[in-house]
Amino acid sequence: MSAPMVTHPLFARIYSHLVVPMMAKGGGDDLRRRNLEELSGTIVEVGAGEGANFAFYPDAVSQVVAVEPESYLRERAAVRTTERVRLVDGTAERLPVADAEADAVVFSLVLCSIDQAQALAEARRVLRPGGEIRFLEHVAAGPGTLRRVQSALDATVWPLLAGGCHCARETEQAIVDAGFEITRIERFVFPRGARSPVSPVILGRAAIR
């Protein structure tokens, strides 16, 4: 059965040519590296985008199954693949991965734009006993003006302009609700001092409860 078609041609190009370089310039590569540190074995990366994470996987990682449904981003990612990266078409809600195949599942700036409950359930399915998820995601701000702005954007133009992205998702709670125990988490603003709708960020790890 073929993967459902996902296409966001304008957003994919903006993300690839503007957002990713801006993140890297602001220190985003260090966040990517920290999200992937100490990983080993077989990794499933959900929403691999243009492959910005590929260079930061530790040497102990033997295989990365990089799942990306958007055709333009997948083409861009193909240029960055190495012998240990297998790039596949698929969605977070229906991963083309066998049960208990992965030592870890990586989410990087993707849980804002997919069905969180289904994606996290799929992560549980493909994880081996003792496996974990890694996450680097922008999330809802605390109570206040920024949170109200996020909610207003989510209800109007933001998902349409940003490839289905939502600003005000309670991703930390979604991870817990999906049956994971958060074992490490950092909460911060990126870039430092920013007050944009996507500046509140979490970085962490979670294991199956």
Side-chain angles (χ1 to χ4, degrees):
M1 182 180 296
S2 61
M5 180 178 292
V6 174
T7 178
H8 298 292
L10 178 59
F11 172 73
R13 285 160 175 79
I14 292 172
Y15 180 80
S16 181
H17 294 284
L18 292 178
V19 177
V20 172
M22 286 175 61
M23 277 195 63
K25 186 176 181 180
D29 285 352
D30 182 59
L31 295 181
R32 293 180 186 278
R33 185 180 293 106
R34 289 171 58 199
N35 193 34
L36 306 176
E37 64 186 4
E38 301 176 355
L39 287 174
S40 61
T42 296
I43 311 302
V44 174
E45 181 175 343
V46 178
E50 64 161 31
N53 281 336
F54 295 169
F56 303 117
Y57 280 100
D59 292 342
V61 171
S62 57
Q63 178 182 208
V64 179
V65 182
V67 181
E68 175 51 55
E70 213 290 325
S71 58
Y72 178 79
L73 292 176
R74 197 168 59 252
E75 289 174 7
R76 298 270 294 178
V79 178
R80 299 187 176 194
T81 58
T82 63
E83 290 185 357
R84 62 179 179 167
V85 176
R86 177 162 61 93
L87 183 62
V88 298
D89 186 4
T91 65
E93 296 86 358
R94 196 163 69 188
L95 295 171
V97 180
D99 293 357
E101 182 175 342
D103 294 292
V105 176
V106 170
F107 295 98
S108 181
L109 305 176
V110 66
L111 283 168
C112 59
S113 59
I114 58 181
D115 185 314
Q116 291 187 329
Q118 288 189 32
L120 291 164
E122 276 290 89
R124 285 178 59 93
R125 178 183 68 79
V126 304
L127 278 172
R128 293 172 179 158
E132 65 177 358
I133 64 170
R134 300 291 186 90
F135 52 91
L136 169 62
E137 300 288 342
H138 69 82
V139 294
T145 301
L146 182 57
R147 176 60 176 272
R148 291 192 292 272
V149 170
Q150 289 178 320
S151 297
L153 288 172
D154 281 357
T156 53
V157 299
W158 193 267
L160 296 174
L161 297 176
C165 173
H166 293 75
C167 308
R169 286 198 164 173
E170 300 281 0
T171 300
E172 182 179 345
Q173 187 60 51
I175 291 170
V176 173
D177 291 345
F180 290 92
E181 178 182 1
I182 294 176
T183 57
R184 183 184 302 182
I185 191 165
E186 299 176 49
R187 304 173 185 87
F188 52 92
V189 169
F190 178 84
R192 183 177 297 178
R195 289 285 293 171
S196 82
V198 293
S199 59
V201 172
I202 57 174
L203 169 68
R205 308 178 182 186
I208 297 175
R209 275 203 308 270

